[in-house]
Amino acid sequence: MAQLFVRDERHMMRCFETSRLPIVKNATVKLSKGEKISILVENMGREDFGQKNRDPKGMENVTVNGVNLTDWTIEAVPVTRNRDVSELMRLLESRGKGHVDGKKTPRFFHGTFKLHEGQKPLDTFLDPSNYTKGIAFVNGINLGRYWPVAGPQVRLYVPGVFLRPHPEENRLIMFELEGLRSDKGERGVRFDEKPYLTADTGSPHP
Protein backbone atom coordinates (compact mmCIF):
# COMPACT_ATOMS: atom_id res chain seq x y z
CA MET A 1 0.00 0.00 0.00
CA ALA A 2 1.29 3.46 -0.87
CA GLN A 3 -0.01 7.00 -1.14
CA LEU A 4 1.37 9.40 -3.75
CA PHE A 5 1.18 13.13 -2.99
CA VAL A 6 1.65 15.83 -5.64
CA ARG A 7 0.62 19.37 -4.65
CA ASP A 8 -3.00 19.11 -3.46
CA GLU A 9 -3.62 15.68 -4.98
CA ARG A 10 -3.48 12.28 -3.33
CA HIS A 11 -3.38 8.99 -5.25
CA MET A 12 -3.85 5.58 -3.64
CA MET A 13 -1.60 2.80 -4.95
CA ARG A 14 -2.00 -0.94 -4.31
CA CYS A 15 0.16 -3.79 -5.57
CA PHE A 16 -2.23 -6.53 -4.40
CA GLU A 17 -5.94 -7.22 -4.65
CA THR A 18 -8.63 -7.89 -2.05
CA SER A 19 -12.28 -8.76 -2.62
CA ARG A 20 -13.18 -5.04 -2.44
CA LEU A 21 -9.96 -3.25 -3.40
CA PRO A 22 -8.44 -3.73 -6.88
CA ILE A 23 -4.78 -3.49 -7.83
CA VAL A 24 -3.77 0.10 -8.66
CA LYS A 25 -0.18 0.39 -9.89
CA ASN A 26 -0.41 3.58 -11.97
CA ALA A 27 -1.64 7.11 -11.34
CA THR A 28 -2.25 9.96 -13.78
CA VAL A 29 -0.61 13.13 -12.47
CA LYS A 30 0.41 16.48 -13.92
CA LEU A 31 3.98 17.46 -13.10
CA SER A 32 6.01 20.57 -13.72
CA LYS A 33 9.78 20.80 -13.71
CA GLY A 34 11.19 20.84 -10.20
CA GLU A 35 8.00 19.71 -8.48
CA LYS A 36 8.25 17.42 -5.48
CA ILE A 37 6.72 13.94 -5.30
CA SER A 38 6.12 12.36 -1.90
CA ILE A 39 5.22 8.69 -1.43
CA LEU A 40 4.09 7.19 1.88
CA VAL A 41 4.67 3.41 1.83
CA GLU A 42 2.89 1.29 4.42
CA ASN A 43 4.65 -1.72 5.95
CA MET A 44 2.16 -4.52 5.33
CA GLY A 45 2.58 -8.24 6.03
CA ARG A 46 4.17 -10.75 3.69
CA GLU A 47 3.03 -13.78 1.73
CA ASP A 48 5.85 -16.33 1.86
CA PHE A 49 4.31 -19.40 0.31
CA GLY A 50 3.25 -20.82 -3.04
CA GLN A 51 3.52 -18.89 -6.28
CA LYS A 52 3.48 -15.58 -4.39
CA ASN A 53 6.72 -16.36 -2.56
CA ARG A 54 8.21 -13.04 -3.66
CA ASP A 55 6.88 -10.16 -1.61
CA PRO A 56 9.34 -7.22 -1.62
CA LYS A 57 8.89 -4.17 0.59
CA GLY A 58 9.40 -0.48 -0.04
CA MET A 59 9.66 0.94 -3.56
CA GLU A 60 11.02 -0.74 -6.64
CA ASN A 61 10.81 1.26 -9.87
CA VAL A 62 9.01 4.61 -9.92
CA THR A 63 8.72 5.97 -13.45
CA VAL A 64 7.26 9.09 -15.05
CA ASN A 65 6.62 8.78 -18.81
CA GLY A 66 8.94 5.78 -18.86
CA VAL A 67 11.78 7.61 -17.08
CA ASN A 68 12.99 5.88 -13.92
CA LEU A 69 13.20 8.30 -10.95
CA THR A 70 16.23 7.82 -8.69
CA ASP A 71 18.05 9.52 -5.78
CA TRP A 72 15.10 9.32 -3.41
CA THR A 73 15.32 10.62 0.14
CA ILE A 74 13.90 7.86 2.37
CA GLU A 75 12.76 8.52 5.93
CA ALA A 76 11.33 5.95 8.33
CA VAL A 77 8.23 6.79 10.37
CA PRO A 78 8.89 5.23 13.79
CA VAL A 79 5.87 4.19 15.85
CA THR A 80 7.47 1.53 18.03
CA ARG A 81 7.86 3.52 21.25
CA ASN A 82 5.59 5.87 23.17
CA ARG A 83 7.91 8.84 22.62
CA ASP A 84 8.04 8.08 18.87
CA VAL A 85 4.24 8.30 18.65
CA SER A 86 4.15 11.56 20.62
CA GLU A 87 6.87 13.15 18.47
CA LEU A 88 5.28 12.10 15.19
CA MET A 89 1.90 13.39 16.32
CA ARG A 90 3.47 16.74 17.24
CA LEU A 91 5.09 17.06 13.81
CA LEU A 92 1.89 16.27 11.91
CA GLU A 93 -0.18 18.67 14.01
CA SER A 94 2.34 21.48 13.56
CA ARG A 95 2.01 21.23 9.78
CA GLY A 96 -1.77 21.59 9.83
CA LYS A 97 -3.93 20.61 6.88
CA GLY A 98 -1.81 22.32 4.26
CA HIS A 99 -3.29 22.19 0.78
CA VAL A 100 -4.61 18.65 1.06
CA ASP A 101 -8.04 17.81 2.47
CA GLY A 102 -7.35 17.12 6.14
CA LYS A 103 -10.02 14.41 6.27
CA LYS A 104 -8.20 12.35 3.66
CA THR A 105 -4.54 12.74 4.60
CA PRO A 106 -2.69 10.53 7.10
CA ARG A 107 -3.12 12.04 10.54
CA PHE A 108 -3.48 11.32 14.23
CA PHE A 109 -6.72 11.44 16.20
CA HIS A 110 -6.35 11.32 19.96
CA GLY A 111 -8.32 11.65 23.15
CA THR A 112 -8.45 10.63 26.79
CA PHE A 113 -10.93 8.72 28.93
CA LYS A 114 -11.31 7.56 32.53
CA LEU A 115 -12.82 4.44 34.00
CA HIS A 116 -15.72 4.93 36.38
CA GLU A 117 -14.94 5.13 40.07
CA GLY A 118 -14.74 1.62 41.49
CA GLN A 119 -14.54 0.05 38.03
CA LYS A 120 -11.73 -2.45 37.59
CA PRO A 121 -9.66 -2.44 34.38
CA LEU A 122 -10.91 -5.51 32.50
CA ASP A 123 -10.22 -7.00 29.09
CA THR A 124 -12.19 -5.29 26.33
CA PHE A 125 -12.28 -4.72 22.56
CA LEU A 126 -11.79 -1.43 20.70
CA ASP A 127 -14.27 -0.86 17.86
CA PRO A 128 -12.81 1.52 15.19
CA SER A 129 -15.71 1.25 12.72
CA ASN A 130 -15.72 5.01 12.04
CA TYR A 131 -12.15 4.78 10.76
CA THR A 132 -10.81 3.33 7.52
CA LYS A 133 -7.33 1.90 8.01
CA GLY A 134 -4.50 2.51 10.45
CA ILE A 135 -2.96 1.66 13.81
CA ALA A 136 -4.39 2.15 17.31
CA PHE A 137 -2.46 2.86 20.51
CA VAL A 138 -3.67 2.96 24.11
CA ASN A 139 -1.36 4.47 26.72
CA GLY A 140 1.50 4.23 24.23
CA ILE A 141 0.98 0.52 23.54
CA ASN A 142 0.41 -0.62 19.96
CA LEU A 143 -2.90 -2.53 19.83
CA GLY A 144 -2.42 -3.49 16.18
CA ARG A 145 -3.67 -2.59 12.74
CA TYR A 146 -7.35 -1.91 12.07
CA TRP A 147 -8.99 -2.17 8.63
CA PRO A 148 -12.77 -2.60 9.07
CA VAL A 149 -13.62 -2.37 5.38
CA ALA A 150 -11.38 -5.35 4.59
CA GLY A 151 -12.27 -7.48 7.62
CA PRO A 152 -12.86 -10.08 8.82
CA GLN A 153 -11.51 -8.76 12.16
CA VAL A 154 -12.93 -5.38 13.17
CA ARG A 155 -12.38 -4.94 16.91
CA LEU A 156 -8.94 -4.92 18.51
CA TYR A 157 -8.26 -6.76 21.76
CA VAL A 158 -7.33 -4.51 24.70
CA PRO A 159 -6.02 -6.44 27.75
CA GLY A 160 -7.17 -4.98 31.04
CA VAL A 161 -3.56 -4.55 32.19
CA PHE A 162 -3.11 -1.91 29.44
CA LEU A 163 -5.73 0.34 31.09
CA ARG A 164 -5.22 2.67 34.04
CA PRO A 165 -7.65 2.57 36.98
CA HIS A 166 -9.76 5.50 38.16
CA PRO A 167 -8.93 8.39 38.56
CA GLU A 168 -5.98 8.12 36.13
CA GLU A 169 -6.46 9.12 32.50
CA ASN A 170 -6.10 6.70 29.60
CA ARG A 171 -4.86 8.05 26.29
CA LEU A 172 -6.07 6.67 22.95
CA ILE A 173 -4.32 7.49 19.66
CA MET A 174 -5.56 6.51 16.19
CA PHE A 175 -3.00 6.81 13.39
CA GLU A 176 -5.43 6.99 10.44
CA LEU A 177 -3.85 6.49 7.02
CA GLU A 178 -6.73 6.95 4.59
CA GLY A 179 -9.28 9.26 6.22
CA LEU A 180 -12.45 8.86 8.25
CA ARG A 181 -14.88 6.24 7.03
CA SER A 182 -17.99 8.03 8.29
CA ASP A 183 -19.63 10.45 5.85
CA LYS A 184 -20.50 12.68 8.81
CA GLY A 185 -16.90 12.85 9.98
CA GLU A 186 -17.66 10.97 13.19
CA ARG A 187 -14.39 10.38 15.04
CA GLY A 188 -15.65 8.43 18.04
CA VAL A 189 -14.70 4.89 18.99
CA ARG A 190 -16.25 2.56 21.52
CA PHE A 191 -15.22 -0.37 23.66
CA ASP A 192 -17.18 -3.61 23.54
CA GLU A 193 -17.11 -6.72 25.69
CA LYS A 194 -17.19 -9.03 22.65
CA PRO A 195 -14.80 -9.50 19.71
CA TYR A 196 -15.91 -9.09 16.11
CA LEU A 197 -13.90 -11.48 13.94
CA THR A 198 -16.35 -12.48 11.19
CA ALA A 199 -17.37 -9.25 9.45
CA ASP A 200 -18.51 -9.43 5.83
CA THR A 201 -16.02 -7.55 3.70
CA GLY A 202 -17.32 -4.12 2.72
CA SER A 203 -20.57 -4.43 4.69
CA PRO A 204 -21.69 -1.94 7.38
CA HIS A 205 -20.63 -2.94 10.87
CA PRO A 206 -22.75 -2.56 14.01
Side-chain angles (χ1 to χ4, degrees), residues 19-20 129 147-152 154 181 196 198-206:
S19 58
R20 297 280 296 184
S129 293
W147 197 2
V149 70
V154 175
R181 186 179 177 201
Y196 190 8
T198 56
D200 292 332
T201 302
S203 299
H205 303 143

Side-chain angles (χ1 to χ4, degrees), residues 136-179:
F137 302 83
V138 65
N139 295 328
I141 301 172
N142 188 336
L143 298 179
R145 188 193 314 274
Y146 61 84
W147 197 2
V149 70
Q153 178 178 349
V154 175
R155 297 171 186 157
L156 299 178
Y157 175 54
V158 184
V161 294
F162 289 0
L163 301 177
R164 296 167 181 164
H166 182 86
E168 296 183 60
E169 281 192 339
N170 293 277
R171 187 184 192 192
L172 177 66
I173 298 175
M174 308 290 287
F175 182 23
E176 173 57 46
L177 292 167
E178 298 188 9

Side-chain angles (χ1 to χ4, degrees), residues 61-141:
N61 292 330
V62 179
T63 61
V64 175
N65 290 338
V67 178
N68 191 25
L69 303 184
T70 59
D71 298 327
W72 290 89
T73 299
I74 301 176
E75 299 179 65
V77 181
V79 287
T80 57
R81 297 172 296 182
N82 193 15
R83 66 182 183 184
D84 293 333
V85 176
S86 299
E87 177 64 13
L88 186 55
M89 186 171 69
R90 183 189 67 79
L91 290 174
L92 289 180
E93 288 181 339
S94 67
R95 294 182 181 182
K97 292 184 178 180
H99 297 291
V100 185
D101 182 1
K103 295 181 180 179
K104 298 299 181 182
T105 55
R107 65 190 316 179
F108 283 97
F109 296 88
H110 60 98
T112 59
F113 63 94
K114 293 181 180 180
L115 300 183
H116 296 297
E117 186 174 359
Q119 181 181 10
K120 295 182 179 180
L122 300 175
D123 294 358
T124 185
F125 295 88
L126 174 70
D127 191 327
S129 293
N130 286 326
Y131 291 78
T132 303
K133 185 169 183 279
I135 305 170
F137 302 83
V138 65
N139 295 328
I141 301 172

Side-chain angles (χ1 to χ4, degrees), residues 2-6 9-13 26-30:
Q3 300 183 44
L4 169 66
F5 295 92
V6 181
E9 301 173 355
R10 183 184 74 153
H11 304 269
M12 303 298 297
M13 316 289 287
N26 299 302
T28 301
V29 298
K30 294 181 180 180

